Amino acid sequence: MTILGIESSCDETAAAIVEDGRLLHANVVATQIDIHEQYGGVVPEVAARSHIEVILPVIEEAMTKAFGTVDWYKIDAIAVTNGPGLSGSLLIGTLTARTLAELKSKPLYPVNHVLGHVYANYIQPDDRGDWKQPEFPLLALIVSGGHSQLVLFEDHFNYRLLGRTQDDAIGEAFDKVAKIIGLPYPGGPSIEKAAAEGDAYAFDFPKARMPNPYDFSFSGLKTAVLRRVQSICGKDFTFPSFELAALLSASQVNDIAASFQRIALETVVDKTEKASQEFNPQSVVIAGGVAASGALREMLSARLPLDIEYAARNLCTDNAAMIATLGYYVAQNQEPTKQELVEILPNLKM
Ligand code: KG4
Ligand code: ZN
């Protein structure tokens, strides 16, 4: 079964073609990072307008990459992200998918973006003959710009949320801390780069303690970084302040980045290790944009007793390959949704 996946929930417009929830034939992502970089974050109205401009060319490019031409006969179904995400952005993807499903008479499957991140781990890397798909019970650490949660899957659609963030998502904390110390958006990759030059023990930032040990909280950590920067600079500009970052030296920026990154990543690794000891999963996967972090991968591999297969980094940040892959498993389990009934669900939860 060959599925066209469509994703537009935030600031990437993406289309991909995946066969049988495993074989990736095309993966096209048009990112808006250069547009939003000027504002230090995503501007929803700008994002929606930019999706409209590129969504059809992105879908055509994915079809051409997969089949050599735009060939609808080779597509068995369409999967589209209908939530969670920015309303205006989600609307462009879902309306496009609905229209194409109607025009080309294809079954349509709306899917959850956050769950989709987990399915990046079901895509076969093209250079690995010995690779195996994850097995159940499966422990998933989902860490992105909008979400931080630990989920235990007994089966594809039978899962339990062990814990989630009570305030900011971890990726959001990376983005905000980057802004405080004057590093470019998105914060994750720029903090990882600066951290490689810094001392991860230069500053001792706090780790939040939660009543449920699998819940997360990152807003205190972000505030601790801000307070520390204010005390280093001897000024208390309110957040966000470009003036504050300009007072830091390059080595202070690197040390703060490294110390923040260590605490943020240790927090999620501590909880993943604890859950892995308690629930004894067959596989552990990490998912979402922060899962692209090399530092997270190193730390986790060192701490867990089992081998982890990491998804390709470009499949961790937003893409449509994960949406097409999840769409395949949804299609095995349920009927397609009539196109006129596919609505956006900006606050959809797992
Ligand atoms: O999954 P994603 O592309 O979008 C959401 O669904 O939110 O995640 C984007 C997030 C951003 O906050 C970005 O800073 C973070 O993923 N990220 C990273 C890294 N690469 C991207 N965080 C830490 N280290 C990285 N290398
Ligand atoms: Zn995402």
Side-chain angles (χ1 to χ4, degrees):
M1 185 181 206
T2 299
I3 299 197
L4 165 67
I6 299 176
E7 155 66 38
S8 72
S9 65
C10 188
D11 60 344
E12 334 276 349
T13 321
I17 292 164
V18 176
E19 188 184 338
D20 294 340
R22 176 177 190 131
L23 297 174
L24 180 58
H25 292 297
N27 181 35
V28 177
V29 180
T31 178
Q32 305 175 3
I33 285 178
D34 50 344
I35 305 173
H36 300 294
E37 204 176 12
Q38 319 167 38
Y39 306 103
V42 178
V43 182
E45 290 77 6
V46 177
R49 194 170 328 152
S50 166
H51 286 305
I52 300 182
E53 284 168 11
V54 300
I55 195 153
L56 290 175
V58 162
I59 293 170
E60 277 184 11
E61 190 183 333
M63 300 265 267
T64 312
K65 278 202 169 135
F67 311 128
T69 82
V70 175
D71 188 349
W72 284 96
Y73 288 102
K74 296 198 172 140
I75 299 290
D76 298 308
I78 300 174
V80 65
T81 301
N82 72 325
L86 303 169
S87 318
S89 292
L90 287 167
L91 259 180
I92 311 303
T94 48
L95 287 178
T96 305
R98 284 173 53 171
T99 309
L100 291 172
E102 180 72 15
L103 279 175
K104 309 293 178 188
S105 304
K106 303 294 176 189
L108 180 59
Y109 297 93
V111 306
N112 180 321
H113 175 89
V114 181
L115 187 56
H117 273 297
V118 175
Y119 282 79
N121 292 286
Y122 282 77
I123 299 169
Q124 174 151 11
D126 25 60
D127 54 342
R128 292 272 316 278
D130 60 333
W131 176 86
K132 283 202 318 245
Q133 280 187 317
E135 289 174 297
F136 298 110
L138 167 70
L139 177 66
L141 170 68
I142 307 174
V143 277
S144 75
H147 305 271
S148 305
Q149 50 202 47
L150 261 171
V151 185
L152 186 67
F153 289 77
E154 293 300 336
D155 204 334
H156 285 292
F157 298 98
N158 179 8
Y159 54 75
R160 182 147 73 93
L161 192 64
L162 300 178
R164 63 153 60 125
T165 182
Q166 300 299 306
D167 41 57
D168 293 355
I170 181 171
E172 194 180 346
F174 271 88
D175 295 337
K176 287 177 176 169
V177 166
K179 209 165 175 174
I180 295 172
I181 60 178
L183 295 174
Y185 173 85
S190 51
I191 287 191
E192 187 170 16
K193 201 162 152 234
E197 308 293 321
D199 173 3
Y201 293 87
F203 298 99
D204 202 14
F205 294 124
K207 271 187 205 169
R209 283 180 198 275
M210 310 300 288
N212 167 7
Y214 298 122
D215 277 343
F216 306 98
S217 162
F218 292 101
S219 85
L221 173 58
K222 169 199 70 191
T223 308
V225 172
L226 175 63
R227 297 282 172 258
R228 182 51 71 97
V229 172
Q230 288 169 331
S231 80
I232 293 172
C233 300
K235 304 247 160 125
D236 82 351
F237 294 114
T238 41
F239 173 79
S241 164
F242 298 108
E243 292 92 339
L244 200 52
L247 298 174
L248 294 172
S249 71
S251 76
Q252 284 171 328
V253 167
N254 294 343
D255 287 350
I256 294 167
S259 304
F260 158 78
Q261 176 177 269
R262 176 176 66 83
I263 296 297
L265 298 182
E266 269 179 18
T267 302
V268 295
V269 170
D270 289 349
K271 288 167 198 274
T272 308
E273 185 185 25
K274 181 175 169 62
S276 156
Q277 283 163 354
E278 181 171 349
F279 301 105
N280 247 317
Q282 280 294 314
S283 303
V284 175
V285 299
I286 57 174
V290 182
S293 162
L296 172 60
R297 291 168 180 223
E298 265 172 41
M299 208 186 268
L300 199 60
S301 290
R303 293 268 291 275
L304 291 185
L306 67 178
D307 286 337
I308 307 188
E309 295 282 0
Y310 295 104
R313 283 167 210 258
N314 67 325
L315 297 178
C316 293
T317 46
D318 287 351
N319 66 85
M322 65 188 202
I323 300 304
T325 305
L326 170 56
Y328 170 78
Y329 295 96
V330 172
Q332 308 306 300
N333 190 61
Q334 67 190 52
E335 293 298 313
T337 307
K338 282 193 182 132
Q339 67 84 3
E340 66 274 22
L341 298 181
V342 174
E343 303 217 317
I344 59 160
L345 301 169
N347 299 315
L348 184 61
K349 298 250 176 327
M350 263 184 77

